[in-house]
Structures are given as structure tokens and as C-alpha cells.
Amino acid sequence: QRDYTSLKNTNIMKLSASVLALSAMSVSAFTQPAARNVAVRTQMAEEEQEAAPVAEEMAAVVEETPAAPAAPVSPQMSMALPWMERPAALDGTLAGDVGFDPVGFAKTQDDLLKYREAEIKHGRLAMLAAAGWPMSELLDKKLANALGWVPVVDSSDRAPSVLNGGLGKVSPAYWAACLALGAAVDLYGIKRQESSDYFPGNLGFDPLGMYPKDEAGQKDMQLKELKNGRLAMIAITAFAFQEFVQKIGVVDETPIFFKPFNQVMYEYANSGYIYPDNM
């Protein structure tokens, strides 16, 4: 019986030791990862604290860096001729560029700038001519009679031109002055092309200060000049052919555009008959 009791106590002690060992292993199994998680979280927090100043600096740099303006998206088809593809050189950056080049003159950007320069020069000359042509027909005879000169317009009030004739009446001094002035302006324009802010037609001539300071206003002013120049080129061509065909000056053919309204109405009212003076 004593041996049995001793054996029983020994087994109980062994079982207790096994239970304690298993309990210790279970506790360590649950507490070990928790300690590791705490260490991982601590390391991550330290890394975030170290990375925060770098992220703030990068964000500041991004905020301070100005965003590049988006390039204008050019349409694939010409705005002027919707059934034709837009020429590659006409990318819409120049004022008045609507993709009109059906013959394909402008192969490159350099070609485009040269043609734009020529267009602006012809447009400016046409605007002067479109104003000077009817003014010469209205004022030439009056000024010639006042100064004792021979009028250069003919009996039908037509201005001298290649089609109308009469260019021989113009003094050679006038042609010499026109040539000298044109050469001076052209030489000045060539010198202006050396400046960094030059674009086609930019002669820096703005005595009245009408050229806007902002980019949008400048583009709008350039567009207005182009439209008026293009219209003037059509008008001066129409003047020449109209007078050649009709054999009468444009100021008499369409007086409503060039003479005072009351004078035009008087001329229309008295065309074909004359009111008696007592009426």
C-alpha cells in the first residue's frame, strides 16, 4: 500500500509538472507575437516620423512648381475647310490660324512664319490703300483746283491704277518717296527680327498705347488686325476690277459708303429729273 501511494503521488507530481509546462508554453505562444507586434508598430511609427519631413518638403516643391500650360489641342480637320485635313504646320498657335492652306504652301513652321509676315505686310498696305483709294477720288479734284495742279483722277472719278491707266500723271517724286519709306520700314523690320520677343509683324509701333498688356488681349488685337487686313485685300481688289468693268469710280458707283447720307439722298432723288427751285 505504501508503494502504491508513493507511485500515485509521483504520477500526480509528473502530471502537475506537465500541466505547468504546457501552460507556460501556451502563455509564451500568445505573449511572444504580441511583443513582436509592439516592436513592429514602434519601428513603423519611427519610420513614418522620419519620412514625414521628406513628404512635406516634396509637397511644398510640388506646390511651388508652376504647372506647365496645357498645349492647345489642334483639331484634325481644318476649321476653314471642314472637309479637308488641317495642315501639320498650322497648329493654331498663331492668331487667325484656322487651318486654311488648301494649296499647301506652308510645309514647316519657318514657312508659316514667312507667309504670316508677308500676309501682315500686304494686309497693312491694303488697309492704307482701301482708305486712300476712295479718298483720292473724293478729294483729288478739290485739292488740285485749290493748289492749281492737274487732277490725277479721270473724268469718271476713277483713281489711277494699272487697269484704269493714268499712272503717268503721278509725280516721280511721289514714287521715290514711297520707295524710300517702304525700304526704311522693311529695314527696321529686319532689325527687329533679331530681338527675342519678335513675332511676325511686331514692329513695336504703338504711339497711342492701344496694344494690350495681357496675352489674351494681345491675341485678340492681332486677330482684329488680321481680319481687317484680309478684308482690305479683298476690298482693294474689288475696287480695281469694279472700276475697270463699270468705268466709273467706286465713290459714284456705291456712294452710300463714301458720301454723307443727305448728299446721297439728294443725288438719288434728283437722278433723272430736277426739282424746280421754287419747290
Side-chain angles (χ1 to χ4, degrees):
Q1 185 176 3
R2 185 183 301 166
D3 293 337
Y4 174 77
T5 303
S6 177
L7 179 62
K8 183 179 179 181
N9 293 334
T10 302
N11 290 336
I12 291 172
M13 291 176 64
K14 289 181 179 180
L15 181 61
S16 300
S18 299
V19 172
L20 289 173
L22 290 173
S23 300
M25 291 175 62
S26 300
V27 171
S28 64
F30 286 102
T31 58
Q32 183 76 15
R36 283 202 300 268
N37 290 338
V38 172
V40 170
R41 291 196 195 97
T42 304
Q43 185 178 358
M44 291 177 63
E46 292 177 354
E47 291 178 355
E48 289 178 358
Q49 291 177 357
E50 293 177 357
V54 178
E56 292 177 358
E57 292 180 1
M58 293 179 63
V61 171
V62 171
E63 291 178 358
E64 292 176 359
T65 304
V73 179
S74 302
Q76 294 299 322
M77 306 303 290
S78 170
M79 294 176 61
L81 304 172
W83 60 89
M84 295 182 64
E85 290 188 2
R86 174 186 57 82
L90 279 66
D91 55 3
T93 55
L94 292 178
D97 181 4
V98 291
F100 182 79
D101 187 17
V103 185
F105 285 124
K107 304 294 184 183
T108 63
Q109 282 292 326
D110 290 339
D111 292 340
L112 178 62
L113 294 178
K114 291 177 182 177
Y115 282 115
R116 172 52 60 87
E117 187 83 36
E119 181 184 24
I120 291 179
K121 288 181 178 180
H122 284 81
R124 289 169 177 172
L125 286 174
M127 285 188 281
L128 292 173
W133 186 297
M135 287 180 63
S136 68
E137 295 180 349
L138 290 172
L139 302 177
D140 178 70
K141 290 183 178 179
K142 296 178 181 179
L143 293 175
N145 292 333
L147 299 174
W149 295 348
V150 178
V152 294
V153 298
D154 60 13
S155 58
S156 300
D157 293 334
R158 297 187 305 168
S161 69
V162 175
L163 297 179
N164 292 340
L167 293 175
K169 298 179 182 179
V170 181
S171 170
Y174 172 80
W175 299 119
C178 290
L179 183 62
L181 180 61
V185 173
D186 213 33
L187 290 173
Y188 177 73
I190 294 174
K191 185 174 179 61
R192 280 279 302 172
Q193 293 179 12
E194 300 174 358
S195 61
S196 58
D197 61 341
Y198 182 81
F199 55 86
N202 181 19
L203 298 180
F205 181 77
D206 186 25
L208 301 179
M210 299 179 64
Y211 194 61
K213 304 299 182 184
D214 59 295
E215 185 177 354
Q218 292 176 359
K219 260 307 183 47
D220 183 62
M221 185 66 75
Q222 294 169 22
L223 180 61
K224 289 177 180 178
E225 182 185 26
L226 276 171
K227 287 185 175 181
N228 282 278
R230 291 168 178 172
L231 182 61
M233 285 188 280
I234 297 174
I236 196 63
T237 305
F239 288 175
F241 279 100
Q242 179 181 341
E243 292 192 356
F244 176 71
V245 174
Q246 298 293 336
K247 306 300 181 184
I248 186 174
V250 293
V251 295
D252 297 327
E253 181 74 15
T254 53
I256 192 67
F257 296 119
F258 307 106
K259 297 180 180 180
F261 181 76
N262 59 339
Q263 181 180 348
V264 173
M265 292 296 99
Y266 180 81
E267 292 176 357
Y268 280 161
N270 288 280
S271 58
Y273 59 91
I274 301 176
Y275 286 110
D277 294 337
N278 57 357
M279 290 187 64

